[in-house]
């Protein structure tokens, strides 16, 4: 059985307190850090709970799953794709997602731009960077980030909001922190070289959100701490 709304609501309150406390340590304003509930593998009620609590958006990692749940949730809720996207699903993804955080190849940029153009949209995206140099993770190599950004900035139907990364799984908490610091450095260098804004740094999950906030995260993607184990 899925959790009751009251449990969700208490967990969301507790998470916001965790974020606020990390912000206090970092000398940051908690309003700079958005909490994105990750509803993947959970029933459609998970998205309903998020909307009822007042979250504006939820994250899903598969196009098909989001396409099935989205009609069951309030129409005002925005959906963001945080999982790997194959080019052949790009068009479906553009119809369902308000933003795609997992763009990691030139080929994907081109198909997303074309689909967004055909659907009369300007699609917000984040570029996923493998900032932890983890062979098990998707995301473009940091060395290839400048070229990917240049390509993205040249496309008329995409809007690059920033960067996203997933830290390598590790027992050593300094690994996540270094990964997040690396993403911020990459962002700062890209901003210097291109003049792009790149406001968003999507980094931090249930296990490493404090490290992410300390390193400048503007968007933490949280599943387990809100909905329980998958
Ligand atoms: C599942 C997932 C999350 C949420 O992870 P939790 O550890 O459950 O908070 C965040 N980001 C991505 C890309 C995910 O796939």
């Amino acid at each position: 059985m899925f959790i009751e709304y009251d449990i969700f609501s208490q967990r969301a309150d507790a998470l916001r307190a965790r974020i606020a406390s990390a912000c206090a340590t970092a000398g940051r304003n908690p309003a700079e850090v958005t909490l994105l509930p990750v509803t993947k593998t959970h029933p459609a009620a998970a998205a309903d709970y998020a909307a009822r609590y007042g979250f504006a958006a939820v994250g899903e990692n598969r196009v098909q799953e989001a396409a099935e749940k989205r009609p069951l949730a309030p129409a005002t809720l925005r959906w963001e794709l945080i999982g790997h996207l194959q080019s052949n699903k790009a068009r479906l993804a553009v119809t369902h997602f308000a933003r795609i955080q997992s763009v990691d190849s030139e080929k994907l940029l081109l198909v997303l731009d074309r689909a967004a153009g055909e659907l009369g949209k300007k699609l917000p995206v984040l570029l996923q960077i493998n900032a932890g140099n983890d062979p098990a993770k998707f995301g473009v190599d940091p060395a290839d980030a400048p070229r990917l950004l240049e390509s993205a900035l040249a496309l008329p139907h995409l809007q690059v909001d920033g960067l996203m990364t997933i830290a390598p799984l590790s027992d050593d908490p300094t690994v996540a922190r270094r990964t997040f610091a690396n993403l911020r450095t990459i962002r700062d260098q890209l901003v210097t070289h291109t003049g792009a804004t790149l406001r968003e740094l999507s980094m931090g999950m249930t296990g490493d959100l404090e490290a992410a906030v300390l390193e400048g995260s503007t968007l933490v993607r949280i599943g387990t701490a809100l909905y329980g184990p998958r």
Side-chain angles (χ1 to χ4, degrees), residues 116-194:
E118 286 167 7
L119 294 162
K121 288 187 179 177
K122 181 129 182 164
L123 178 73
V125 298
L126 304 183
L127 304 182
Q128 182 175 351
I129 313 291
N130 191 356
N133 299 299
D134 178 354
K137 292 286 187 290
F138 289 109
V140 73
D141 275 3
D144 296 328
R147 203 167 36 207
L148 192 67
L149 177 62
E150 296 279 353
S151 303
L153 293 174
L155 294 170
H157 304 108
L158 301 183
Q159 165 192 311
V160 187
D161 286 349
L163 307 180
M164 184 271 246
T165 200
I166 306 170
L169 265 184
S170 171
D171 296 331
D172 176 357
T174 66
V175 170
R177 179 112 187 224
R178 262 186 285 125
T179 301
F180 300 145
N182 194 28
L183 189 70
R184 190 189 50 192
T185 301
I186 292 165
R187 191 271 305 272
D188 292 348
Q189 288 169 351
L190 292 172
V191 167
T192 303
H193 289 136
T194 64

Side-chain angles (χ1 to χ4, degrees), residues 38 40 61 82-83 128 164-166 204-207 221-225 228 230:
V38 174
K40 69 182 185 205
N61 69 338
I82 59 174
Q128 182 175 351
M164 184 271 246
T165 200
I166 306 170
M205 312 185 355
T206 293
R221 311 174 306 264
I222 309 292
T224 308
R230 287 182 291 272

Side-chain angles (χ1 to χ4, degrees), residues 24-221:
T25 305
R28 301 184 59 201
N29 177 351
E32 291 170 14
V33 184
T34 299
L35 169 51
L36 181 73
V38 174
T39 49
K40 69 182 185 205
T41 77
H42 296 296
D48 256 328
Y49 288 1
R52 184 168 157 195
Y53 187 87
F55 289 112
V58 293
E60 282 279 341
N61 69 338
R62 293 170 66 197
V63 180
Q64 194 55 44
E65 187 175 339
E68 284 162 20
K69 290 177 186 172
R70 199 168 74 103
L72 309 171
T76 50
L77 191 66
R78 290 188 296 101
W79 295 68
E80 299 206 23
L81 183 64
I82 59 174
H84 184 65
L85 177 60
Q86 287 168 336
S87 303
N88 62 355
K89 300 231 176 81
R91 199 188 162 84
L92 190 63
V94 176
T95 68
H96 288 290
F97 291 101
R99 183 159 67 181
I100 296 180
Q101 297 199 8
S102 44
V103 179
D104 64 356
S105 75
E106 171 115 31
K107 181 179 176 202
L108 190 53
L109 280 173
L110 295 174
V111 291
L112 287 173
D113 181 67
R114 192 175 58 217
E118 286 167 7
L119 294 162
K121 288 187 179 177
K122 181 129 182 164
L123 178 73
V125 298
L126 304 183
L127 304 182
Q128 182 175 351
I129 313 291
N130 191 356
N133 299 299
D134 178 354
K137 292 286 187 290
F138 289 109
V140 73
D141 275 3
D144 296 328
R147 203 167 36 207
L148 192 67
L149 177 62
E150 296 279 353
S151 303
L153 293 174
L155 294 170
H157 304 108
L158 301 183
Q159 165 192 311
V160 187
D161 286 349
L163 307 180
M164 184 271 246
T165 200
I166 306 170
L169 265 184
S170 171
D171 296 331
D172 176 357
T174 66
V175 170
R177 179 112 187 224
R178 262 186 285 125
T179 301
F180 300 145
N182 194 28
L183 189 70
R184 190 189 50 192
T185 301
I186 292 165
R187 191 271 305 272
D188 292 348
Q189 288 169 351
L190 292 172
V191 167
T192 303
H193 289 136
T194 64
T197 308
L198 306 183
R199 198 187 61 79
E200 212 80 275
L201 282 179
S202 174
M203 53 192 200
M205 312 185 355
T206 293
D208 53 25
L209 83 86
E210 277 84 4
V213 169
L214 291 175
E215 295 299 345
S217 174
T218 63
L219 194 106
V220 291
R221 311 174 306 264

